[in-house]
């Protein structure tokens, strides 16, 4: 069913072939505005394989100027990533092949190369593609990183930088890229922002999303990410800044567009922390502060933003399992406290329940085994007693008893291994 936004876009698109150059550009600017208003469902309903094929034919038949088509397509890609629409229709369209061919042609030009068109085409291709041939991936990554290094402070330039980094963030963790193709550039982008604070919140997040996605294949990057670029410190700073930009007491539908934007960026930060938390082995004060920041996000978001709340639970569960933070740290930074509060909520869904139980089972195993670098048995017993006192104080023993018979069910609906005897591990060994 057509909505106001989709109808407006469709009508404007239908008029493009009958317009002169100036009229065509104006209509495309209006179409970009209509895109911004669309929700994920509307966006997917408009951008079909048929639409992309038609754009390709219009370019080939010169019914739309290439420059104007790019102006539209780079916004399609931008909002595709921003709205997490994940439209797959570009993959099977003739337009994908066409754009890829033009990129390669531009790359091989020795003279008269239009750098802006080249950069914009790379933005379109990367932000709309999921299966990217190695040659095009290499060309586009280098091009977009170079574009993102632009240090001009004008609003127009910073918007283009944001688009370039957002496109790069669309390259998932399964796309392996050689370190030499990105490491120096992305490091310079991050360091420059740390010195001058020149990127938007979304651009800086996108730079880190691209970098952390590379961490999946290169765990030896941990020293660069944590010791040189201080990811935990930077993520903490960003989360704290973003929390100040939102009135979290409002329901989602009551928020302004600006507040909604900051909520979405906060959610993306929490999501991207998980692969880092899962793989991180460095223990530092910065990491401990990051866990406390996640707890703070959980507290402000738990009433009106269910998805962020669930992502925070998952992050804290991973922190308990990863051992990058001692159990004392989890207690001191209130991670244990918020999970205890959450598991007693009557509205908790099955998935969140699994994550909460996994959190406590991980702590139980760690208390039994002892921390890897903790040789002092008396200290280990004191930590166990401290954890037990906190859990007993909140009534967790009664909760685990009530969940004991349901453990096999929760194990069956999650990827996590939750043994049926796990709920009593903590108390057996105290």
């Amino acid at each position: 069913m057509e909505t106001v936004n989709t109808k407006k876009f469709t009508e404007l698109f239908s008029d493009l072939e009958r317009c002169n150059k100036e009229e065509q550009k104006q209509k495309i600017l209006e179409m970009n505005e209509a895109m911004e208003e669309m929700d994920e469902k509307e966006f997917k309903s408009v951008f079909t394989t048929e639409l992309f094929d038609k754009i390709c034919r219009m370019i080939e038949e010169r019914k739309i100027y290439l420059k104007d088509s790019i102006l539209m397509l780079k916004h399609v890609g931008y909002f595709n990533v921003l709205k997490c629409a994940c439209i797959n229709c570009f993959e099977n369209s003739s337009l994908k092949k066409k754009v890829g061919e033009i990129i390669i042609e531009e790359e091989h030009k020795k003279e008269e190369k239009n750098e802006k068109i080249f950069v914009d085409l790379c933005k379109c291709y990367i932000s709309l593609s999921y299966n990217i041939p190695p040659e095009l991936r290499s060309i586009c990554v280098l091009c977009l990183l170079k574009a993102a290094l632009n240090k001009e402070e004008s609003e127009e330039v910073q918007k283009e930088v944001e688009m370039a980094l957002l496109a790069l963030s669309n390259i998932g963790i399964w796309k392996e890229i050689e370190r030499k193709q990105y490491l120096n550039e992305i490091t310079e982008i991050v360091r420059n922002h740390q010195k001058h604070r020149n990127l938007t919140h979304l651009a800086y997040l996108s730079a880190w999303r691209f970098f952390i996605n590379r961490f999946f294949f290169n765990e030896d990057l941990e020293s660069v990410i944590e010791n040189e670029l201080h990811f935990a410190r930077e993520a903490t700073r960003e989360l704290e800044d973003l929390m100040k930009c939102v009135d979290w007491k409002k329901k989602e539908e009551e928020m302004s567009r600006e507040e909604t934007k900051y909520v979405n960026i906060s959610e993306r930060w929490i999501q991207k922390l998980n692969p880092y938390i899962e793989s991180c082995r460095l223990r530092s004060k910065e990491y401990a502060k990051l866990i406390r920041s996640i707890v703070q996000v959980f507290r402000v978001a738990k009433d009106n933003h269910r998805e962020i709340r669930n992502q925070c639970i998952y992050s804290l569960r991973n922190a308990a399992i990863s051992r990058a933070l001692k159990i004392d740290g989890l207690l001191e930074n209130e991670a244990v406290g918020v999970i205890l509060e959450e598991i007693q909520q009557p509205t908790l869904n099955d998935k969140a329940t699994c994550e909460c139980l996994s959190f406590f089972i991980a702590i139980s195993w760690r208390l039994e085994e002892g921390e890897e670098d903790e040789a002092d048995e008396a200290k280990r017993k004191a930590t166990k007693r401290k954890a037990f006192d906190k859990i007993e104080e909140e009534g967790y023993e009664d909760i685990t008893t009530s969940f004991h018979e349901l453990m096999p069910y929760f194990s069956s609906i999650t990827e996590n291994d939750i043994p049926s005897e796990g709920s009593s591990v903590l108390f057996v060994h105290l």
Side-chain angles (χ1 to χ4, degrees):
M1 182 178 177
E2 273 197 325
T3 64
V4 172
N5 295 324
T6 59
K7 184 178 180 181
K8 179 181 178 182
F9 182 92
T10 303
E11 289 175 350
L12 288 165
F13 183 82
S14 298
D15 288 341
L16 285 179
E17 294 183 57
R18 297 186 289 273
C19 297
N20 61 37
K21 188 173 183 178
E22 288 304 314
E23 291 172 336
Q24 201 173 81
K25 183 176 180 180
Q26 181 56 42
K27 286 190 181 295
I28 286 174
L29 291 173
E30 292 177 40
M31 288 163 64
N32 290 343
E33 291 176 0
M35 274 187 243
E36 188 172 358
E37 297 295 328
M38 291 178 192
D39 60 25
E40 180 186 338
K41 187 176 180 180
E42 290 172 321
F43 200 80
K44 285 183 175 180
S45 72
V46 168
F47 294 103
T48 61
T49 302
E50 290 74 23
L51 184 77
F52 288 125
D53 285 339
K54 186 170 183 180
I55 294 171
C56 185
R57 287 195 301 272
M58 290 169 69
I59 293 171
E60 291 174 341
E61 295 170 4
R62 300 180 183 273
K63 292 180 178 178
I64 184 172
Y65 296 96
L66 178 62
K67 189 176 179 180
D68 290 338
S69 68
I70 292 170
L71 176 62
M72 175 176 61
L73 287 171
K74 76 173 184 177
H75 280 81
V76 177
Y78 177 80
F79 290 119
N80 176 50
V81 181
L82 193 64
K83 297 174 188 290
C84 300
C86 299
I87 51 174
N88 298 316
C89 301
F90 183 75
E91 284 296 312
N92 302 316
S93 69
S94 55
L95 185 60
K96 178 180 178 178
K97 183 179 178 181
K98 181 72 174 179
V99 172
E101 289 171 352
I102 298 174
I103 288 172
I104 291 173
E105 286 173 10
E106 287 291 321
E107 168 68 9
H108 292 160
K109 281 183 180 178
K110 295 182 179 179
E111 297 178 1
E112 298 182 358
K113 183 175 181 177
N114 189 317
E115 196 64 36
K116 178 166 176 49
I117 286 180
F118 181 54
V119 172
D120 285 346
L121 282 168
C122 289
K123 289 175 186 173
C124 299
Y125 195 85
I126 294 295
S127 57
L128 288 169
S129 298
Y130 298 95
N131 183 20
I132 309 170
E135 181 185 8
L136 277 164
R137 187 165 66 234
S138 176
I139 291 170
C140 291
V141 166
L142 290 172
C143 170
L144 294 179
L145 284 171
K146 181 181 176 182
L149 281 166
N150 192 331
K151 297 180 177 64
E152 286 184 43
E153 296 182 1
S154 70
E155 186 176 341
E156 181 181 355
V157 168
Q158 287 310 304
K159 185 66 176 181
E160 294 299 324
V161 167
E162 182 182 272
M163 284 185 161
L165 289 169
L166 188 66
L168 285 167
S169 76
N170 196 48
I171 302 176
I173 59 176
W174 60 92
K175 302 297 183 186
E176 189 170 3
I177 304 172
E178 292 183 25
R179 289 176 58 157
K180 65 182 181 182
Q181 294 181 342
Y182 68 85
L183 186 57
N184 290 341
E185 290 82 359
I186 198 67
T187 300
E188 184 178 347
I189 289 167
V190 170
R191 282 182 172 153
N192 189 63
H193 176 74
Q194 290 174 350
K195 185 176 181 180
H196 300 290
R197 296 291 152 186
N198 61 306
L199 300 175
T200 65
H201 282 292
L202 179 59
Y204 193 44
L205 164 63
S206 299
W208 273 116
R209 278 170 63 91
F210 171 78
F211 202 3
I212 295 298
N213 283 345
R214 312 284 69 78
F215 185 35
F216 186 83
F217 282 107
N218 297 278
E219 290 193 7
D220 56 331
L221 287 174
E222 184 173 29
S223 180
V224 177
I225 288 171
E226 189 55 42
N227 293 335
E228 295 182 33
L229 299 180
H230 302 279
F231 173 71
R233 181 195 69 195
E234 293 298 298
T236 299
R237 187 205 306 270
E238 288 296 301
L239 287 173
E240 289 176 352
D241 284 350
L242 289 163
M243 277 190 282
K244 296 172 186 174
C245 297
V246 177
D247 180 353
W248 295 91
K249 294 179 181 178
K250 292 181 182 176
K251 295 187 181 297
E252 290 187 38
E253 59 271 18
E254 298 171 339
M255 288 187 167
S256 67
R257 180 183 291 178
E258 195 74 1
E259 284 181 308
T260 300
K261 179 181 75 174
Y262 290 130
V263 168
N264 290 338
I265 295 173
S266 300
E267 183 178 336
R268 284 166 178 259
W269 264 112
I270 298 295
Q271 288 172 339
K272 193 42 61 183
L273 291 177
N274 282 314
Y276 168 78
I277 290 173
E278 288 173 356
S279 303
C280 177
R281 293 294 178 267
L282 296 175
R283 294 182 174 182
S284 68
K285 291 181 179 178
E286 290 178 355
Y287 182 84
K289 289 177 181 177
L290 176 60
I291 299 304
R292 177 176 286 274
S293 183
I294 294 171
V295 168
Q296 290 171 341
V297 173
F298 172 86
R299 289 199 184 281
V300 298
K302 66 178 182 177
D303 292 332
N304 295 319
H305 303 276
R306 180 181 297 272
E307 187 54 39
I308 296 182
R309 180 188 72 181
N310 291 343
Q311 288 290 338
C312 288
I313 293 171
Y314 185 55
S315 295
L316 295 175
R317 172 256 186 194
N318 286 337
I321 292 172
S322 73
R323 298 174 180 265
L325 188 65
K326 291 184 179 182
I327 292 173
D328 262 350
L330 292 171
L331 286 163
E332 290 166 6
N333 289 291
E334 302 180 34
V336 173
V338 297
I339 298 295
L340 281 169
E341 292 172 20
E342 186 64 9
I343 203 169
Q344 298 180 70
Q345 296 300 313
T347 57
L348 197 64
N349 62 33
D350 289 343
K351 178 65 176 174
T353 300
C354 291
E355 304 299 359
C356 290
L357 294 174
S358 295
F359 175 92
F360 285 114
I361 291 167
I363 288 180
S364 298
W365 287 339
R366 288 174 62 180
L367 287 172
E368 174 57 19
E369 295 169 2
E371 301 285 7
E372 292 177 3
D373 63 348
E374 191 175 287
D376 189 337
E377 180 65 17
K379 185 175 180 181
R380 184 169 74 89
K381 287 184 177 179
T383 300
K384 289 175 72 172
R385 174 51 56 186
K386 188 176 179 181
F388 175 74
D389 288 347
K390 177 67 175 176
I391 288 169
E392 186 179 48
E393 175 188 327
E394 299 291 341
Y396 179 65
E397 186 168 11
D398 294 336
I399 295 167
T400 53
T401 300
S402 67
F403 275 119
H404 185 75
E405 294 181 1
L406 296 175
M407 278 292 190
Y409 164 69
F410 287 122
S411 294
S412 71
I413 61 171
T414 180
E415 296 175 359
N416 305 325
D417 181 22
I418 303 181
S420 60
E421 68 274 14
S423 60
S424 57
V425 171
L426 180 61
F427 308 105
V428 168
H429 294 293
L430 275 166

